[in-house]
Amino acid sequence: MDPASGKHGIGSDTGQLRIKTSRTGLGRKAGHDLTIEVTRWSGDVTVDVADPGRSSVVASIEVDSLEVREGVGGLKPLTDDDRADIKRTIREKILHSAEHPRITFTSTEIAGTPHAFTVTGDLTIMGTTHPITLEAGLDAEGGVHGTATVVQSTWGIKPYKAFAGALRLADEVRIEFDLAALTETAALG
């Protein structure tokens, strides 16, 4: 099923947006590989089936809506207190959500076919903007699934460290998204 031409609203009510982290360093066995869900995000997708190059995406996420959903690995299971500490660290020490409450993405180019395409655009994190490319495609029902890799240091983010640097969050984090079908009923006009 191909998407319908028009403007489509997307967000936390029409899909999921996840951030996946991994560990590095000598102490990596002590930490967890995290799955963090963005619970408040929104955007618009403009689809031009006749001329896909005229299609576009804009999206914004609320930094304080990041929720730790899963922690894999580690010496002990991730507790609710651990999740709360991680959320506080992300907000206050890593992404500084009081000064930078949103992360935004604005596409600059869309290329490929409906079933395998790239979306290149400008990602702004903490006031710093750099290009990023998303790899995506449609499934048989018209849902959109994709991934991207963000190298934190490119945006001036210092990956989290603990135990005198023996445990570190890897500089690269993986972004995954799954959207419901962009159908005519979802079109905004």
Side-chain angles (χ1 to χ4, degrees):
M1 170 188 285
D2 288 340
S5 286
K7 190 173 184 180
H8 309 269
I10 59 171
S12 41
D13 59 338
T14 62
Q16 286 191 316
L17 179 58
R18 295 173 303 282
I19 302 163
K20 297 211 169 193
T21 70
S22 61
R23 317 156 265 162
T24 187
L26 294 173
R28 69 182 166 270
K29 290 184 180 183
H32 299 88
D33 292 336
L34 301 175
T35 298
I36 301 167
E37 183 178 1
V38 181
T39 61
R40 287 190 322 276
W41 63 279
S42 62
D44 289 313
V45 175
T46 301
V47 176
D48 187 332
V49 174
D51 184 1
R54 292 183 44 183
S55 298
S56 64
V57 178
V58 294
S60 175
I61 74 164
E62 303 290 329
V63 174
D64 67 356
S65 78
L66 302 178
E67 295 289 341
V68 178
R69 296 297 188 210
E70 183 180 34
V72 176
L75 297 175
K76 62 181 182 80
L78 200 61
T79 67
D80 288 342
D81 286 343
D82 294 334
R83 285 180 175 84
D85 287 343
I86 293 166
K87 181 176 179 172
R88 186 172 30 262
T89 298
I90 291 169
R91 271 194 342 254
E92 296 173 7
K93 296 180 181 177
I94 298 173
L95 294 177
H96 307 283
S97 65
E99 297 87 26
H100 305 284
R102 287 180 194 77
I103 295 172
T104 61
F105 175 80
T106 303
S107 67
T108 56
E109 179 183 18
I110 298 177
T113 68
H115 301 285
F117 58 93
T118 59
V119 180
T120 301
D122 293 326
L123 181 64
T124 302
I125 304 173
M126 297 190 326
T128 301
T129 303
H130 289 284
I132 188 170
T133 299
L134 314 169
E135 303 283 338
L138 296 176
D139 63 23
E141 289 79 39
V144 181
H145 309 282
T147 63
T149 299
V150 172
V151 178
Q152 298 177 84
S153 58
T154 300
W155 281 266
I157 299 167
K158 293 180 181 173
Y160 177 78
K161 293 181 189 177
F163 308 121
L167 169 64
R168 296 184 311 272
L169 184 68
D171 199 9
E172 289 187 354
V173 296
R174 181 177 169 94
I175 309 299
E176 299 177 348
F177 59 91
D178 299 295
L179 302 174
L182 302 176
T183 62
E184 290 185 68
T185 56
L188 299 177

